[in-house]
Amino acid sequence: MPLSRRQDLLRALPYARRYARALCGSQSNGDLLVAESLRELMAVDDPSMPPRLRLYQWISRHHAQNSGETVTQQGGMPPVARKLLLLTSLEELPVADAARVLSLAPDQAATMLEEAHTRLRSCAQTSVLIIEDEPIIAMDIEELVRQCGHTIAGVASSEVEAVRLARETHPGLILADINLGDGGDGMSAVASILQQQDIPVIFVTAYPERLLTGDTIEPAFVITKPFEPLTLAVSTYQAVSGGVSLN
């Protein structure tokens, strides 16, 4: 494989990790999926598709093979529809590119995506604990959460407050910023909460590539600031129905 394409693959790795972790619901399984796909992809030179899209494609195929997925798996939504949602919302691919990744005709992908969006709107909702130290940003996130049909369990601006609110409210989902300024660290707050409760977690950051290196214990679900309501809705659906872990 030419050096330029190898470099393109390396630049795509953080985004591939985010996609794979969202599919698997864990850092370790997602990163193994990326490593397996990357190892095979590096052995061939196929210039017919950009390296980032090709990596998404191989991850999607390996995930299907490893999980033995069927059209009715994972809460009733077809796995291919879930992948379309993740690729177009979390990874922000155009529908045409997502269709190429999943070997679908563009019109077939568009129809499937529309059906998946309809299903998202009818899904059972949950209560969300928001961990965010910036008041204006926290208010914006509250509004997005409500637009998705969820309720607010509480808003915490520090580690101590987050642990207390989680203990008192037993939320169905945690939406946490990484950096809480003087209030501490969002990942530390979540780690403390998860010692007492099993709650799906989505982390929010303006710099996702810094969290997706595979070098340390990292979150499975990461969305980028600023984000759209659909991105939150898709990530929430995947986290709550598919499970999420920090390891």
Side-chain angles (χ1 to χ4, degrees):
M1 177 179 289
L3 178 60
S4 61
R5 287 178 62 80
R6 286 175 176 266
Q7 291 172 335
D8 287 342
L9 275 176
L10 291 176
R11 283 191 289 268
L13 274 181
Y15 309 102
R17 288 192 175 106
R18 177 171 59 185
Y19 174 59
R21 292 176 187 185
L23 278 179
C24 297
S26 78
Q27 175 194 351
S28 56
N29 290 338
D31 286 352
L32 282 173
L33 192 61
V34 172
E36 179 183 11
S37 301
L38 185 64
R39 183 167 52 250
E40 296 186 15
L41 189 54
M42 294 283 278
V44 299
D45 180 25
D46 184 355
S48 64
M49 186 182 291
R52 181 174 174 179
L53 297 188
R54 182 66 74 189
L55 188 51
Y56 286 140
Q57 184 180 65
W58 283 55
I59 288 169
S60 300
R61 289 175 177 174
H62 280 302
H63 178 262
Q65 294 168 359
N66 295 346
S67 63
E69 65 187 30
T70 67
V71 295
T72 58
Q73 272 189 320
Q74 296 187 335
M77 184 182 290
V80 173
R82 287 198 178 222
K83 290 171 181 172
L84 271 175
L85 285 171
L86 290 172
L87 288 168
T88 55
S89 61
L90 192 67
E91 299 306 316
E92 301 180 333
L93 292 187
V95 176
D97 284 348
R100 289 182 68 193
V101 167
L102 299 174
S103 301
L104 299 172
D107 57 344
Q108 180 187 11
T111 299
M112 188 176 294
L113 199 56
E114 184 176 352
E115 292 172 351
H117 288 170
T118 299
R119 181 171 181 81
L120 274 181
R121 289 192 289 270
S122 65
C123 287
Q125 308 303 320
T126 191
S127 61
V128 180
L129 172 61
I130 298 169
I131 306 176
E132 168 62 60
D133 67 310
E134 295 287 347
I136 295 178
I137 295 176
M139 290 175 64
D140 287 342
I141 293 175
E142 280 189 76
E143 179 59 28
L144 288 176
V145 168
R146 289 194 174 95
Q147 286 180 31
C148 293
H150 305 299
T151 58
I152 306 298
V155 180
S157 60
S158 69
E159 286 188 44
V160 173
E161 188 178 15
V163 173
R164 176 182 62 80
L165 282 174
R167 184 173 59 249
E168 293 175 354
T169 64
H170 299 280
L173 176 74
I174 296 173
L175 188 62
D177 192 6
I178 301 295
N179 184 359
L180 301 179
D182 294 336
D185 179 85
M187 291 190 69
S188 295
V190 167
S192 297
I193 293 169
L194 294 184
Q195 289 178 357
Q196 304 173 22
Q197 303 178 59
D198 184 16
I199 305 171
V201 182
I202 298 172
F203 282 93
V204 182
T205 176
Y207 306 100
E209 66 278 3
R210 298 180 184 177
L211 273 178
L212 297 166
T213 64
D215 295 332
T216 60
I217 298 299
E218 300 163 347
F221 283 86
V222 180
I223 58 179
T224 305
K225 289 182 178 180
F227 55 88
E228 298 296 326
L230 180 59
T231 303
L232 177 60
V234 171
S235 300
T236 299
Y237 181 81
Q238 186 72 2
V240 172
S241 61
V244 62
S245 172
L246 282 178
N247 51 53

